[in-house]
């Protein structure tokens, strides 16, 4: 199993390009199942989760053509069977995103029930309720969700989500594109990845309005066609490098990023003392050698502070000046990385879903274990601000979400190396 060996040192400094967004790419790849013609998707990040989604499409017999830049042309109409097997779903919960498209296009779908994961139980009841409201019949048996369309085609419906769910909004939005009549989604997620998915569906011929707001209206069409679509930049990858630069008192310039998708993160970085500048597709951050100041926040759905950036900010707070209070409201078990940080000399106490972080000047290198994707990124940041060596174990988590992580950190001047045990 690979590990990352980091020797903490001076400030990060340099320029990197931000990769395509994993969380936008996954639903967009699933959405190609809705189309009756080939859809070409570009700017896909080369990550395990993307490979898993491609493997899942291939396992269903869907024809696809991959080129050396990881542009993928997918012909959803060639799909031969509509089962997403346990072996693939267990490695990636986002496999559930094929449920809505398969059901809407082919009238049936069988998807292994995704289990819980390190950060919480993560149910999919809102996905299923939304599809049922459109006339789907859903049975859960032997660990599989079986969905069928007794009336041949889904019917538009008025759906109010009980909570803001990104995946639930995406699944039902995709299904509604081929349903008969109008669907209105209320309390929909407003994340930029939802907007990117909707824009891709519109390029395929879907009729969607209101995406990016809490009410999305979809007028179903009989068929969707082909298109070429370039996935949006990854705001969480971008945020992770910005925080790494801030924690190390460094400076960084990010290219190919939409600064508008990072509002809450940039506000908090400025509060930490960073000087931030941005243009249409770039952001620069400069700490001018200063130690960051502690920043408190609560994770909430977009446009508030993202749960996917909580762990990285916790690492920065561990070496910041002052005391920060961080509350995690989206997932039940997402402060686990704090225990590993304490082993590196951090001073973090956790009470329920709130962490109280008292900053120390520097951490001490130690062997640590990654428990989930963003937690592993936070341990890398902790390693960068620690004296001595930090060995981050179980980095398969990090390979699910960060393209070329060693190369990007190396180009920023970090001392980081992948070692296999
Ligand atoms: C997506 C992101 C993930 C991010 C999360 C919240 C992808 C591939 N993943 O995950 O990186 O951390 O959004 O921004 O895009 N819930 C229910 N019932 C449901 C659905 C969700 O109770 O049917 C709960 C979840 O357990 C969680 C909360 O709602 O507590 C938010 O989950 P959701 O927004 O659905 O997250 P994902 O789509 O799984």
């Amino acid at each position: 199993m690979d590990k990352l060996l980091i020797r903490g040192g001076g400030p990060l400094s340099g320029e990197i390009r931000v990769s395509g967004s994993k969380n936008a790419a996954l639903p967009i790849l699933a959405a190609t199942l809705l189309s009756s013609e080939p859809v070409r998707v570009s700017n896909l990040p080369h990550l395990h989760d993307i490979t898993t989604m491609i493997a899942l499409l291939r396992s269903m017999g869907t024809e696809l053509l991959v080129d050396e830049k990881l542009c993928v042309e997918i012909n959803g109409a060639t799909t031969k069977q509509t089962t997403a097997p346990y072996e693939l779903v267990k490695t990636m919960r986002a496999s559930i995103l094929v449920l809505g498209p398969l059901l809407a296009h082919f009238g049936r779908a069988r998807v292994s029930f995704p289990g819980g994961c390190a950060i919480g139980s993560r149910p999919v009841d809102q996905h299923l309720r939304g599809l049922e409201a459109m006339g789907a019949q859903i049975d859960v048996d032997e660990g599989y969700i079986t969905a069928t369309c007794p009336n041949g085609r889904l019917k538009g419906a008025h759906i109010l989500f009980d909570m803001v769910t990104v995946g639930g909004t995406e699944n039902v939005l995709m299904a509604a594109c081929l349903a008969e009549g109008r669907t209105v989604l209320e309390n929909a997620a407003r994340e930029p990845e939802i907007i990117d998915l909707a824009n891709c569906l519109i390029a395929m011929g879907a009729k969607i309005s209101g995406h990016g707001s809490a009410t999305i209206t979809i007028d179903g069409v009989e068929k969707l066609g082909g298109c070429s679509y370039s996935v949006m930049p990854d705001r969480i990858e971008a945020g992770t490098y910005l925080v790494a630069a801030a924690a190390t008192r460094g400076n960084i310039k990010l290219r190919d990023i939409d600064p508008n998708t990072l509002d809450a993160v940039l506000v908090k970085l400025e509060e930490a003392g960073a000087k931030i500048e941005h243009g249409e597709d770039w952001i620069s951050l400069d700490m001018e050698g200063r130690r960051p100041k502690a920043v408190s926040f609560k994770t909430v759905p977009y446009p508030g502070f993202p749960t996917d950036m909580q762990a990285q900010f916790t690492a920065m707070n561990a070496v910041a000046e002052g005391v920060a209070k961080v509350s995690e409201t989206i997932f039940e078990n997402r402060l686990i990385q704090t225990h590993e940080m304490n082993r590196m000399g951090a001073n973090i106490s956790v009470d329920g879903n709130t962490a109280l972080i008292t900053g120390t000047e520097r951490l001490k290198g130690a062997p640590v274990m990654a428990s989930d994707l963003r937690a592993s990124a936070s341990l890398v940041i902790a390693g960068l601000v620690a004296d001595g060596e930090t060995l981050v174990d179980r980095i398969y988590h990090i390979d699910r979400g960060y393209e070329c992580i060693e190369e990007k950190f190396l180009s920023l001047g970090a001392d980081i190396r992948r070692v296999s045990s």
Side-chain angles (χ1 to χ4, degrees), residues 23 26 93-94 122-127 163-167 191 307-308 330-331 334:
N23 285 356
L26 292 172
R93 301 188 78 267
R122 300 183 80 169
V124 292
D125 55 301
Q126 301 298 309
H127 303 229
M163 81 264 305
V164 177
T165 153
V166 175
E191 267 67 2
T307 174
D308 283 351
I330 308 290
F331 291 109
R334 216 174 190 183

PDB file of all heavy atoms in Angstrom, residues 23 26 93-94 122-127 163-167 191 307-308 330-331 334, ligand 1:
ATOM      1  N   ASN A  23     -16.263  16.032  -8.506  1.00  0.00           N
ATOM      2  CA  ASN A  23     -17.669  15.972  -8.116  1.00  0.00           C
ATOM      3  C   ASN A  23     -18.620  16.481  -9.200  1.00  0.00           C
ATOM      4  O   ASN A  23     -19.828  16.261  -9.114  1.00  0.00           O
ATOM      5  CB  ASN A  23     -17.898  16.749  -6.813  1.00  0.00           C
ATOM      6  CG  ASN A  23     -17.366  15.986  -5.611  1.00  0.00           C
ATOM      7  OD1 ASN A  23     -16.904  14.857  -5.745  1.00  0.00           O
ATOM      8  ND2 ASN A  23     -17.434  16.596  -4.443  1.00  0.00           N
ATOM      9  N   LEU A  26     -18.330  13.201 -12.083  1.00  0.00           N
ATOM     10  CA  LEU A  26     -19.037  11.935 -11.822  1.00  0.00           C
ATOM     11  C   LEU A  26     -20.505  11.976 -12.278  1.00  0.00           C
ATOM     12  O   LEU A  26     -20.930  11.106 -13.039  1.00  0.00           O
ATOM     13  CB  LEU A  26     -18.901  11.540 -10.343  1.00  0.00           C
ATOM     14  CG  LEU A  26     -17.480  11.142  -9.928  1.00  0.00           C
ATOM     15  CD1 LEU A  26     -17.378  10.965  -8.416  1.00  0.00           C
ATOM     16  CD2 LEU A  26     -17.045   9.858 -10.637  1.00  0.00           C
ATOM     17  N   ARG A  93     -19.344   5.386  -3.649  1.00  0.00           N
ATOM     18  CA  ARG A  93     -20.768   5.604  -3.358  1.00  0.00           C
ATOM     19  C   ARG A  93     -21.460   6.369  -4.492  1.00  0.00           C
ATOM     20  O   ARG A  93     -22.644   6.191  -4.731  1.00  0.00           O
ATOM     21  CB  ARG A  93     -20.933   6.411  -2.067  1.00  0.00           C
ATOM     22  CG  ARG A  93     -20.342   5.787  -0.862  1.00  0.00           C
ATOM     23  CD  ARG A  93     -20.710   6.549   0.382  1.00  0.00           C
ATOM     24  NE  ARG A  93     -22.064   6.265   0.830  1.00  0.00           N
ATOM     25  CZ  ARG A  93     -23.133   6.943   0.507  1.00  0.00           C
ATOM     26  NH1 ARG A  93     -23.045   8.008  -0.245  1.00  0.00           N
ATOM     27  NH2 ARG A  93     -24.315   6.597   0.939  1.00  0.00           N
ATOM     28  N   ALA A  94     -20.690   7.231  -5.187  1.00  0.00           N
ATOM     29  CA  ALA A  94     -21.298   8.051  -6.241  1.00  0.00           C
ATOM     30  C   ALA A  94     -21.841   7.201  -7.392  1.00  0.00           C
ATOM     31  O   ALA A  94     -22.525   7.721  -8.280  1.00  0.00           O
ATOM     32  CB  ALA A  94     -20.312   9.083  -6.759  1.00  0.00           C
ATOM     33  N   ARG A 122     -24.744   8.143   5.623  1.00  0.00           N
ATOM     34  CA  ARG A 122     -25.040   8.604   4.257  1.00  0.00           C
ATOM     35  C   ARG A 122     -26.166   7.839   3.533  1.00  0.00           C
ATOM     36  O   ARG A 122     -25.939   7.139   2.554  1.00  0.00           O
ATOM     37  CB  ARG A 122     -23.758   8.567   3.405  1.00  0.00           C
ATOM     38  CG  ARG A 122     -22.694   9.456   3.970  1.00  0.00           C
ATOM     39  CD  ARG A 122     -21.466   9.507   3.121  1.00  0.00           C
ATOM     40  NE  ARG A 122     -21.584  10.400   1.993  1.00  0.00           N
ATOM     41  CZ  ARG A 122     -20.545  10.761   1.225  1.00  0.00           C
ATOM     42  NH1 ARG A 122     -19.358  10.277   1.464  1.00  0.00           N
ATOM     43  NH2 ARG A 122     -20.711  11.579   0.224  1.00  0.00           N
ATOM     44  N   PRO A 123     -27.397   7.991   4.016  1.00  0.00           N
ATOM     45  CA  PRO A 123     -28.532   7.325   3.353  1.00  0.00           C
ATOM     46  C   PRO A 123     -28.844   7.927   1.979  1.00  0.00           C
ATOM     47  O   PRO A 123     -28.348   9.002   1.637  1.00  0.00           O
ATOM     48  CB  PRO A 123     -29.703   7.564   4.315  1.00  0.00           C
ATOM     49  CG  PRO A 123     -29.298   8.702   5.176  1.00  0.00           C
ATOM     50  CD  PRO A 123     -27.804   8.785   5.175  1.00  0.00           C
ATOM     51  N   VAL A 124     -29.676   7.212   1.184  1.00  0.00           N
ATOM     52  CA  VAL A 124     -30.069   7.722  -0.143  1.00  0.00           C
ATOM     53  C   VAL A 124     -31.593   7.824  -0.257  1.00  0.00           C
ATOM     54  O   VAL A 124     -32.150   7.814  -1.347  1.00  0.00           O
ATOM     55  CB  VAL A 124     -29.490   6.849  -1.298  1.00  0.00           C
ATOM     56  CG1 VAL A 124     -27.981   6.974  -1.375  1.00  0.00           C
ATOM     57  CG2 VAL A 124     -29.912   5.393  -1.167  1.00  0.00           C
ATOM     58  N   ASP A 125     -32.261   7.954   0.891  1.00  0.00           N
ATOM     59  CA  ASP A 125     -33.734   7.991   0.897  1.00  0.00           C
ATOM     60  C   ASP A 125     -34.297   9.117   0.040  1.00  0.00           C
ATOM     61  O   ASP A 125     -35.346   8.952  -0.604  1.00  0.00           O
ATOM     62  CB  ASP A 125     -34.241   8.124   2.341  1.00  0.00           C
ATOM     63  CG  ASP A 125     -33.640   9.338   3.054  1.00  0.00           C
ATOM     64  OD1 ASP A 125     -32.401   9.407   3.157  1.00  0.00           O
ATOM     65  OD2 ASP A 125     -34.409  10.222   3.470  1.00  0.00           O
ATOM     66  N   GLN A 126     -33.612  10.265  -0.021  1.00  0.00           N
ATOM     67  CA  GLN A 126     -34.131  11.393  -0.799  1.00  0.00           C
ATOM     68  C   GLN A 126     -34.066  11.113  -2.299  1.00  0.00           C
ATOM     69  O   GLN A 126     -34.928  11.565  -3.061  1.00  0.00           O
ATOM     70  CB  GLN A 126     -33.362  12.678  -0.483  1.00  0.00           C
ATOM     71  CG  GLN A 126     -33.419  13.087   0.975  1.00  0.00           C
ATOM     72  CD  GLN A 126     -34.844  13.390   1.421  1.00  0.00           C
ATOM     73  OE1 GLN A 126     -35.555  14.160   0.785  1.00  0.00           O
ATOM     74  NE2 GLN A 126     -35.260  12.762   2.505  1.00  0.00           N
ATOM     75  N   HIS A 127     -33.041  10.374  -2.733  1.00  0.00           N
ATOM     76  CA  HIS A 127     -32.944   9.990  -4.149  1.00  0.00           C
ATOM     77  C   HIS A 127     -34.179   9.113  -4.480  1.00  0.00           C
ATOM     78  O   HIS A 127     -34.847   9.330  -5.495  1.00  0.00           O
ATOM     79  CB  HIS A 127     -31.706   9.122  -4.419  1.00  0.00           C
ATOM     80  CG  HIS A 127     -30.389   9.722  -4.026  1.00  0.00           C
ATOM     81  ND1 HIS A 127     -29.324   9.745  -4.890  1.00  0.00           N
ATOM     82  CD2 HIS A 127     -29.940  10.288  -2.877  1.00  0.00           C
ATOM     83  CE1 HIS A 127     -28.269  10.299  -4.277  1.00  0.00           C
ATOM     84  NE2 HIS A 127     -28.624  10.626  -3.059  1.00  0.00           N
ATOM     85  N   MET A 163     -33.957  17.614   3.007  1.00  0.00           N
ATOM     86  CA  MET A 163     -32.717  18.312   3.354  1.00  0.00           C
ATOM     87  C   MET A 163     -31.997  18.613   2.055  1.00  0.00           C
ATOM     88  O   MET A 163     -32.360  18.077   1.004  1.00  0.00           O
ATOM     89  CB  MET A 163     -31.843  17.440   4.268  1.00  0.00           C
ATOM     90  CG  MET A 163     -31.029  16.395   3.570  1.00  0.00           C
ATOM     91  SD  MET A 163     -31.725  14.758   3.509  1.00  0.00           S
ATOM     92  CE  MET A 163     -32.018  14.400   5.194  1.00  0.00           C
ATOM     93  N   VAL A 164     -31.008  19.477   2.127  1.00  0.00           N
ATOM     94  CA  VAL A 164     -30.262  19.804   0.912  1.00  0.00           C
ATOM     95  C   VAL A 164     -29.319  18.638   0.626  1.00  0.00           C
ATOM     96  O   VAL A 164     -28.440  18.339   1.429  1.00  0.00           O
ATOM     97  CB  VAL A 164     -29.478  21.113   1.083  1.00  0.00           C
ATOM     98  CG1 VAL A 164     -28.651  21.396  -0.161  1.00  0.00           C
ATOM     99  CG2 VAL A 164     -30.432  22.257   1.361  1.00  0.00           C
ATOM    100  N   THR A 165     -29.518  17.962  -0.487  1.00  0.00           N
ATOM    101  CA  THR A 165     -28.643  16.853  -0.858  1.00  0.00           C
ATOM    102  C   THR A 165     -28.125  17.043  -2.282  1.00  0.00           C
ATOM    103  O   THR A 165     -28.917  17.213  -3.222  1.00  0.00           O
ATOM    104  CB  THR A 165     -29.332  15.476  -0.697  1.00  0.00           C
ATOM    105  OG1 THR A 165     -28.733  14.540  -1.610  1.00  0.00           O
ATOM    106  CG2 THR A 165     -30.823  15.499  -0.955  1.00  0.00           C
ATOM    107  N   VAL A 166     -26.800  17.004  -2.393  1.00  0.00           N
ATOM    108  CA  VAL A 166     -26.177  17.215  -3.699  1.00  0.00           C
ATOM    109  C   VAL A 166     -26.499  16.025  -4.614  1.00  0.00           C
ATOM    110  O   VAL A 166     -27.056  16.180  -5.708  1.00  0.00           O
ATOM    111  CB  VAL A 166     -24.643  17.385  -3.533  1.00  0.00           C
ATOM    112  CG1 VAL A 166     -23.959  17.474  -4.887  1.00  0.00           C
ATOM    113  CG2 VAL A 166     -24.335  18.615  -2.694  1.00  0.00           C
ATOM    114  N   GLY A 167     -26.174  14.818  -4.149  1.00  0.00           N
ATOM    115  CA  GLY A 167     -26.403  13.619  -4.969  1.00  0.00           C
ATOM    116  C   GLY A 167     -27.884  13.415  -5.265  1.00  0.00           C
ATOM    117  O   GLY A 167     -28.261  13.037  -6.374  1.00  0.00           O
ATOM    118  N   GLU A 191     -25.029  23.849  -5.317  1.00  0.00           N
ATOM    119  CA  GLU A 191     -23.585  23.735  -5.541  1.00  0.00           C
ATOM    120  C   GLU A 191     -23.226  24.013  -7.008  1.00  0.00           C
ATOM    121  O   GLU A 191     -24.001  23.690  -7.923  1.00  0.00           O
ATOM    122  CB  GLU A 191     -23.132  22.307  -5.191  1.00  0.00           C
ATOM    123  CG  GLU A 191     -22.638  22.097  -3.770  1.00  0.00           C
ATOM    124  CD  GLU A 191     -23.715  22.253  -2.699  1.00  0.00           C
ATOM    125  OE1 GLU A 191     -24.886  22.484  -3.034  1.00  0.00           O
ATOM    126  OE2 GLU A 191     -23.362  22.155  -1.510  1.00  0.00           O
ATOM    127  N   THR A 307     -18.311  21.518   3.585  1.00  0.00           N
ATOM    128  CA  THR A 307     -17.805  20.436   4.436  1.00  0.00           C
ATOM    129  C   THR A 307     -16.515  19.833   3.858  1.00  0.00           C
ATOM    130  O   THR A 307     -15.641  19.411   4.600  1.00  0.00           O
ATOM    131  CB  THR A 307     -18.878  19.335   4.628  1.00  0.00           C
ATOM    132  OG1 THR A 307     -18.287  18.244   5.337  1.00  0.00           O
ATOM    133  CG2 THR A 307     -19.431  18.812   3.316  1.00  0.00           C
ATOM    134  N   ASP A 308     -16.396  19.844   2.530  1.00  0.00           N
ATOM    135  CA  ASP A 308     -15.202  19.251   1.904  1.00  0.00           C
ATOM    136  C   ASP A 308     -13.940  20.082   2.132  1.00  0.00           C
ATOM    137  O   ASP A 308     -12.851  19.663   1.739  1.00  0.00           O
ATOM    138  CB  ASP A 308     -15.427  19.067   0.392  1.00  0.00           C
ATOM    139  CG  ASP A 308     -16.311  17.873   0.104  1.00  0.00           C
ATOM    140  OD1 ASP A 308     -16.591  17.099   1.045  1.00  0.00           O
ATOM    141  OD2 ASP A 308     -16.725  17.693  -1.064  1.00  0.00           O
ATOM    142  N   ILE A 330     -22.812  18.822   8.312  1.00  0.00           N
ATOM    143  CA  ILE A 330     -23.299  18.025   7.178  1.00  0.00           C
ATOM    144  C   ILE A 330     -23.139  16.526   7.421  1.00  0.00           C
ATOM    145  O   ILE A 330     -24.057  15.743   7.174  1.00  0.00           O
ATOM    146  CB  ILE A 330     -22.574  18.410   5.861  1.00  0.00           C
ATOM    147  CG1 ILE A 330     -22.628  19.926   5.624  1.00  0.00           C
ATOM    148  CG2 ILE A 330     -23.159  17.645   4.663  1.00  0.00           C
ATOM    149  CD1 ILE A 330     -23.966  20.499   5.277  1.00  0.00           C
ATOM    150  N   PHE A 331     -21.970  16.129   7.883  1.00  0.00           N
ATOM    151  CA  PHE A 331     -21.725  14.700   8.125  1.00  0.00           C
ATOM    152  C   PHE A 331     -21.469  14.459   9.609  1.00  0.00           C
ATOM    153  O   PHE A 331     -20.924  15.318  10.312  1.00  0.00           O
ATOM    154  CB  PHE A 331     -20.557  14.193   7.268  1.00  0.00           C
ATOM    155  CG  PHE A 331     -20.902  14.151   5.808  1.00  0.00           C
ATOM    156  CD1 PHE A 331     -20.346  15.059   4.921  1.00  0.00           C
ATOM    157  CD2 PHE A 331     -21.815  13.230   5.312  1.00  0.00           C
ATOM    158  CE1 PHE A 331     -20.669  15.035   3.569  1.00  0.00           C
ATOM    159  CE2 PHE A 331     -22.149  13.198   3.971  1.00  0.00           C
ATOM    160  CZ  PHE A 331     -21.580  14.101   3.091  1.00  0.00           C
ATOM    161  N   ARG A 334     -17.107  13.604  10.810  1.00  0.00           N
ATOM    162  CA  ARG A 334     -16.089  14.137   9.913  1.00  0.00           C
ATOM    163  C   ARG A 334     -14.996  14.937  10.637  1.00  0.00           C
ATOM    164  O   ARG A 334     -14.344  15.777  10.045  1.00  0.00           O
ATOM    165  CB  ARG A 334     -16.744  14.989   8.817  1.00  0.00           C
ATOM    166  CG  ARG A 334     -15.994  14.806   7.527  1.00  0.00           C
ATOM    167  CD  ARG A 334     -16.618  15.486   6.358  1.00  0.00           C
ATOM    168  NE  ARG A 334     -15.926  15.027   5.155  1.00  0.00           N
ATOM    169  CZ  ARG A 334     -16.177  15.466   3.945  1.00  0.00           C
ATOM    170  NH1 ARG A 334     -17.082  16.372   3.741  1.00  0.00           N
ATOM    171  NH2 ARG A 334     -15.509  14.993   2.915  1.00  0.00           N
TER     172      ARG A 334
HETATM  173  C1  LIG B   1     -21.587  15.241  -2.235  1.00  0.00           C
HETATM  174  C2  LIG B   1     -20.102  15.272  -2.553  1.00  0.00           C
HETATM  175  C3  LIG B   1     -19.284  15.281  -1.275  1.00  0.00           C
HETATM  176  C4  LIG B   1     -19.739  16.423  -0.368  1.00  0.00           C
HETATM  177  C5  LIG B   1     -21.250  16.389  -0.136  1.00  0.00           C
HETATM  178  C6  LIG B   1     -21.779  17.585   0.643  1.00  0.00           C
HETATM  179  C7  LIG B   1     -19.972  14.109  -4.681  1.00  0.00           C
HETATM  180  C8  LIG B   1     -19.552  12.908  -5.440  1.00  0.00           C
HETATM  181  N1  LIG B   1     -19.789  14.103  -3.354  1.00  0.00           N
HETATM  182  O1  LIG B   1     -21.832  14.022  -1.537  1.00  0.00           O
HETATM  183  O2  LIG B   1     -17.911  15.446  -1.627  1.00  0.00           O
HETATM  184  O3  LIG B   1     -19.089  16.302   0.894  1.00  0.00           O
HETATM  185  O4  LIG B   1     -21.923  16.364  -1.420  1.00  0.00           O
HETATM  186  O5  LIG B   1     -21.395  18.768   0.016  1.00  0.00           O
HETATM  187  O6  LIG B   1     -20.437  15.072  -5.253  1.00  0.00           O
HETATM  188  N2  LIG B   1     -28.611  12.646   3.046  1.00  0.00           N
HETATM  189  C9  LIG B   1     -29.703  11.942   3.508  1.00  0.00           C
HETATM  190  N3  LIG B   1     -30.481  11.310   2.586  1.00  0.00           N
HETATM  191  C10 LIG B   1     -30.216  11.337   1.251  1.00  0.00           C
HETATM  192  C11 LIG B   1     -29.108  12.050   0.804  1.00  0.00           C
HETATM  193  C12 LIG B   1     -28.316  12.696   1.719  1.00  0.00           C
HETATM  194  O7  LIG B   1     -29.965  11.881   4.716  1.00  0.00           O
HETATM  195  O8  LIG B   1     -30.956  10.720   0.476  1.00  0.00           O
HETATM  196  C13 LIG B   1     -27.741  13.355   4.016  1.00  0.00           C
HETATM  197  C14 LIG B   1     -26.315  12.797   4.043  1.00  0.00           C
HETATM  198  O9  LIG B   1     -26.199  11.691   4.925  1.00  0.00           O
HETATM  199  C15 LIG B   1     -25.526  13.985   4.507  1.00  0.00           C
HETATM  200  C16 LIG B   1     -26.276  15.167   3.871  1.00  0.00           C
HETATM  201  O10 LIG B   1     -27.584  14.685   3.573  1.00  0.00           O
HETATM  202  O11 LIG B   1     -25.583  14.096   5.898  1.00  0.00           O
HETATM  203  C17 LIG B   1     -25.635  15.723   2.606  1.00  0.00           C
HETATM  204  O12 LIG B   1     -25.389  14.661   1.702  1.00  0.00           O
HETATM  205  P1  LIG B   1     -25.292  14.890   0.123  1.00  0.00           P
HETATM  206  O13 LIG B   1     -25.368  16.337  -0.155  1.00  0.00           O
HETATM  207  O14 LIG B   1     -26.277  13.995  -0.536  1.00  0.00           O
HETATM  208  O15 LIG B   1     -23.826  14.375  -0.174  1.00  0.00           O
HETATM  209  P2  LIG B   1     -23.337  13.490  -1.391  1.00  0.00           P
HETATM  210  O16 LIG B   1     -24.102  13.819  -2.607  1.00  0.00           O
HETATM  211  O17 LIG B   1     -23.265  12.071  -0.948  1.00  0.00           O
END
